Amino acid sequence: MAALINALAEAAMRRERIFRDRTNPFDIYDDTEMLKKYRFTREGVGYIIDVLEESLQPQTKRSHAVPAALQVCIALHFFATGSVLDDPASLHGCSIPTCSRIVRKVTKAICAKKDQFIKFPHSPQDVQQTQLDFFRLAQFPKVVAAIDGTHVQINGVALGDVEHLYVNRKGFYSINVQLTCNAKYQITSVSARWPGSTHDSRILRTSAVGRGFEAGLLNGLMLGDSGYGLKPWLMTPKLLPATQAERRYNQAHSCTRVVIEQVNGQLKCKFRCLLGSGLHMLPERASDVITACACLHNISKRLNQPEVEVPQALFQEEAEEHEEGADAVSGRQVRDDLINDYFA
């Protein structure tokens, strides 16, 4: 019996390793199928591979390492479908642990290039052009960004002592994501590190955009809903409009700010990992995935990739009660001047 066991052990050691067939999506899918599985056409996926290839090249020369192109496809499929990892793993011929490592690696590679794809207007030329683009929507002047918060659900397992912080006002675990955008539906800033219970106003105060406006480093106006406190650089709706000019202001505000609601919808519908039961990973990793999806959203806009149909009503979240701050007085003065100068 001992001899038999030893013989089987030796045979197992000599057995040739079997590698799964990792199918090349470019060999089998046309643009329609690529868009369905990866949310980008063949051209779009190729562009992302070119951007990330150097960061994703295997560190060793051993055979059967997953090539950069296939790593990108695996991650894009996860972002696009919102499925658990066994779906992209089986589709691309790799194990679930390998798939998990690849998604993490690609996510970090995209986040490292965030500043290349997500930019807030700083230069006078960019500010002027952005204001002009917004003005064309509904004749609201001086706008450089629309701002809103949206919740991305996460798994509450393993949150430990901070679990309660991630329960939002709707009762589920989430990350509260702050986004700003321009009139061309491009995301100009993203803050995706705050637990779901955090108020939108607090996120804005601590974000790079909020600090930039407070320090006078950013010019123009942002438009936010009533969940934000009125500031000299952040215009909110007039809650009880009493005049025709105030009603015109509210109408223009709504028609201009709706862009950010549409961006929220486009982002979540294109990258379904941000929808439904959300991201089944720790908050730090979930934050990186959200940021990576924001970068991919802008890449899609830059390349004029086909859009995914968005049921708009699904993404109009209730505004929280705003926190009245010391800037409210000067903010009201700026708002009143706008109403008198442009909407009277």
Side-chain angles (χ1 to χ4, degrees):
M1 178 61 71
L4 178 60
I5 293 175
N6 289 335
L8 291 174
E10 290 177 5
M13 293 177 64
R14 292 193 304 268
R15 188 179 302 132
E16 183 180 355
R17 294 175 68 191
I18 299 175
F19 296 94
R20 302 182 186 182
D21 177 26
R22 294 172 178 144
T23 305
N24 183 356
F26 285 90
D27 291 340
I28 57 176
Y29 299 135
D30 59 15
D31 272 346
T32 301
E33 284 298 313
M34 290 288 279
L35 188 64
K36 180 180 178 181
K37 288 180 168 57
Y38 306 109
R39 291 296 190 263
F40 287 88
T41 63
R42 293 165 62 88
E43 177 191 4
V45 175
Y47 174 83
I48 297 169
I49 291 170
D50 289 342
V51 169
L52 300 178
E53 188 168 18
E54 184 176 350
S55 304
L56 300 177
Q57 287 292 357
Q59 298 300 309
T60 66
K61 295 184 179 181
R62 65 186 180 87
S63 60
H64 302 289
V66 181
L70 190 56
Q71 292 182 53
V72 169
C73 290
I74 290 170
L76 287 180
H77 185 67
F78 172 76
F79 298 149
T81 62
S83 60
V84 291
L85 288 171
D86 59 355
D87 188 11
S90 61
L91 178 66
H92 299 94
C94 63
S95 67
I96 292 177
T98 298
C99 183
S100 178
R101 289 191 293 270
I102 287 172
V103 169
R104 179 61 178 160
K105 185 178 180 181
V106 174
T107 297
K108 291 174 67 176
I110 296 173
C111 289
K113 298 182 180 294
K114 172 187 171 184
D115 293 341
Q116 181 178 339
F117 298 109
I118 299 179
K119 301 176 182 179
F120 201 89
H122 284 85
S123 70
Q125 296 82 1
D126 288 343
V127 169
Q128 183 178 24
Q129 184 59 56
T130 303
Q131 290 176 336
L132 180 60
D133 292 339
F134 270 116
F135 187 80
R136 287 169 176 160
L137 297 180
Q139 286 71 60
F140 202 110
K142 304 180 182 180
V143 179
V144 293
I147 185 171
D148 199 10
T150 187
H151 289 268
V152 173
Q153 187 168 347
I154 61 172
N155 193 333
V157 176
L159 290 177
D161 295 338
V162 297
E163 177 181 350
H164 64 285
L165 297 178
Y166 286 89
V167 180
N168 63 29
R169 67 185 186 276
K170 294 187 177 181
F172 60 85
Y173 300 103
S174 71
I175 292 174
N176 192 358
V177 184
Q178 175 185 283
L179 296 174
T180 63
C181 74
N182 60 25
K184 296 181 178 180
Y185 301 91
Q186 296 167 332
I187 294 171
T188 54
S189 73
V190 55
S191 178
R193 63 186 182 90
W194 289 95
S197 65
T198 311
H199 197 283
D200 289 348
S201 293
R202 181 184 179 191
I203 298 175
L204 176 58
R205 282 197 305 271
T206 59
S207 68
V209 169
R211 296 196 307 270
F213 273 107
E214 289 289 358
L217 302 176
L218 298 176
N219 298 312
L221 299 175
M222 289 203 299
L223 300 186
D225 61 21
S226 55
Y228 292 96
L230 186 62
K231 295 178 178 291
W233 44 267
L234 176 59
M235 296 293 99
T236 60
K238 192 83 173 178
L239 295 182
L240 297 172
T243 67
Q244 189 63 28
E246 290 175 351
R247 286 188 283 272
R248 281 195 288 266
Y249 165 88
N250 272 8
Q251 179 66 22
H253 186 286
S254 176
C255 291
T256 306
R257 200 194 70 83
V258 74
V259 175
I260 187 61
E261 294 179 354
Q262 293 169 337
V263 166
N264 282 336
Q266 291 175 6
L267 178 66
K268 289 184 176 180
C269 275
K270 195 172 190 73
F271 303 108
R272 296 269 171 168
C273 66
L274 308 181
L275 263 183
S277 60
L279 295 165
H280 295 268
M281 55 184 67
L282 292 174
E284 295 80 6
R285 295 196 172 197
S287 296
D288 287 342
V289 168
I290 296 166
T291 301
C293 288
C295 293
L296 292 171
H297 170 91
N298 280 6
I299 291 174
S300 178
K301 295 297 181 184
R302 179 181 296 187
L303 300 178
N304 292 317
Q305 293 287 287
E307 295 296 341
V308 178
E309 184 177 354
V310 180
Q312 285 296 321
L314 186 62
F315 301 103
Q316 294 176 354
E317 301 181 17
E318 280 183 32
E320 301 178 79
E321 292 183 5
H322 72 272
E323 298 174 343
E324 199 71 60
D327 288 339
V329 175
S330 53
R332 279 196 293 270
Q333 184 60 56
V334 172
R335 185 171 65 182
D336 289 343
D337 289 344
L338 276 175
I339 292 172
N340 292 331
D341 293 344
Y342 293 93
F343 300 101

